[in-house]
Amino acid sequence: MKARHFFSSLLTSCALLFGATAAQAAYPEKPITMIVAYGAGGSTDVTARMLAPFIEKYLGGGARIVVMNRGGAGGEIGFAAIADATPDGYTIGFINTPNVVTIPIERNARFTLDRLDPLVNVVDDPGIMTVHGDSPYKTVEDLVAQAKANPNTITLGSTGVGSDDHLAMLLLQRQANVRFTHVPFPGSAENYRSMLGRHTQICGQNLGEGLRGKAGGDNIRILGVMSTQRWDMAPDLPTFKELGYNITMASLRGVGAPKGLPPEIRAKLIDAVTKAANDPEFQSKARDTYQPLRILDSEAFSAELKELDGDFRNLWREFPWLK
């Protein structure tokens, strides 16, 4: 009887172990939601929808990813939705700097950085300032001269308080001793359309957005790029440092998940996203749509977010950008 009980227990344990292994191996068994914390048509949305099919390809097993836009509050709603999700691998999303770092610094946010698991960074898109092609502002100095002569008369759109666009504006104000009127928008597409419609005079945005607009025939002028050196996709575009302003600002956009993923699922997601981002076809599409790629593994991505958190906390102590 004891022997039969022992073998029965052993068989049951093996069956349970086999079942658990089979369940893990079957991931994903249902569609995966990929959250974009901004509206449709913006840079993150473009990247997400372009990358998703390649992640599906490398996950295999008929994997399906559904991109869901959860815009609002500068990205807080979408980032919180990722952080609050069950950590089972069926909710992932894009996390964007600086907003994912600055929002918990500036207010009691619905998420904190340590509740997100950075898996793979994909894009590193430097900031720019764009005006309508018919604007009287041909250069950054034209802009500064007008702002000095007429404080608060030039409107500058951004993707929200604490965004890279907003912080870049504050840095220019500080270094040039000028004042603009800040106009926050829920996403980059709305911000860009406002400038095209001449409702706002300057569009703070990212390089990829501006270059896509120009390639699509939009009548715009890019005044400068906030990278450390000229970008190979726009070699004639001067950096703000060249123009006399110590402003470097960019948006890292990578895939993250809620903290606490099962190790096997986390490893599978990281492997699939890494292979997707390095896929030659995706990289070709990214270049054709002016998306500056910078692929970082989880460790490097996490380290960069931690460094940015320290930098922006220091900046907040110097001049809180909500005041």
Side-chain angles (χ1 to χ4, degrees):
M1 289 293 291
K2 287 182 180 180
R4 283 201 300 272
H5 180 72
F6 171 77
F7 285 114
S8 176
S9 299
L10 182 63
L11 288 170
T12 300
S13 299
C14 289
L16 288 171
L17 180 62
F18 177 79
T21 304
Q24 289 169 359
Y27 170 83
E29 296 179 298
K30 61 183 181 179
I32 297 168
T33 298
M34 175 183 278
I35 294 173
V36 172
Y38 301 94
S43 280
T44 308
D45 186 64
V46 170
T47 304
R49 293 180 189 279
M50 189 173 294
L51 184 65
F54 292 91
I55 300 175
E56 292 172 342
K57 169 184 172 182
Y58 289 107
L59 279 175
R64 181 167 171 248
I65 294 176
V66 179
V67 177
M68 178 184 293
N69 297 91
R70 295 288 302 275
E76 181 178 358
I77 292 173
F79 301 147
I82 299 169
D84 291 342
T86 303
D88 57 5
Y90 289 100
T91 301
I92 60 175
F94 268 79
I95 54 179
N96 305 55
T97 67
N99 303 53
V100 73
V101 174
T102 58
I103 288 171
I105 293 173
E106 69 194 22
R107 59 184 184 262
N108 185 20
R110 293 167 52 187
F111 74 97
T112 53
L113 192 58
D114 61 4
R115 293 181 57 218
L116 294 165
D117 185 358
L119 301 179
V120 182
N121 189 66
V122 180
V123 169
D124 187 358
D125 202 350
I128 58 174
M129 286 187 180
T130 306
V131 297
H132 195 280
D134 296 333
S135 167
Y137 311 123
K138 311 290 186 189
T139 65
V140 172
E141 279 312 313
D142 289 344
L143 204 61
V144 168
Q146 174 67 11
K148 279 184 176 178
N150 302 278
N152 295 312
T153 60
I154 298 176
T155 52
L156 190 150
S158 82
T159 49
V161 173
S163 66
D164 50 340
D165 316 318
H166 180 217
L167 295 178
M169 181 199 82
L170 293 177
L171 289 171
L172 182 59
Q173 284 189 156
R174 193 181 194 199
Q175 293 179 28
N177 194 26
V178 298
R179 286 292 178 270
F180 302 106
T181 295
H182 178 223
V183 184
F185 289 91
S188 56
E190 298 93 332
N191 179 22
Y192 185 63
R193 284 196 295 268
S194 179
M195 179 273 298
L196 284 179
R198 306 187 199 188
H199 305 297
T200 45
Q201 293 156 283
I202 311 167
C203 177
Q205 57 179 174
N206 293 103
L207 181 62
E209 296 162 340
L211 293 180
R212 281 196 299 276
K214 288 195 77 169
D218 292 341
N219 184 20
I220 61 172
R221 182 183 303 118
I222 300 173
L223 302 182
V225 62
M226 299 167 198
S227 50
T228 54
Q229 57 190 15
R230 294 197 183 201
W231 207 262
D232 63 348
M233 290 190 286
D236 297 331
L237 191 60
T239 67
F240 272 70
K241 282 196 170 186
E242 289 177 67
L243 300 173
Y245 300 100
N246 185 25
I247 302 173
T248 56
M249 192 67 66
S251 176
L252 290 177
R253 300 186 204 117
V255 177
K259 270 280 201 263
L261 290 177
E264 299 84 359
I265 289 176
R266 184 177 187 270
K268 193 167 185 178
L269 276 169
I270 288 174
D271 181 66
V273 176
T274 302
K275 287 176 177 174
N278 282 291
D279 188 288
E281 186 182 351
F282 169 75
Q283 296 210 340
S284 177
K285 287 175 180 287
R287 188 164 188 87
D288 289 345
T289 50
Y290 304 98
Q291 298 178 67
L293 298 181
R294 183 175 169 226
I295 300 162
L296 299 174
D297 63 22
S298 181
E299 186 176 347
F301 190 13
S302 298
E304 192 131 346
L305 290 176
K306 184 176 181 181
E307 183 178 352
L308 286 170
D309 184 64
D311 291 344
F312 283 117
R313 286 186 185 279
N314 290 335
L315 189 63
W316 176 260
R317 282 191 284 270
E318 287 183 49
F319 66 105
W321 47 82
L322 286 182
K323 295 183 179 179

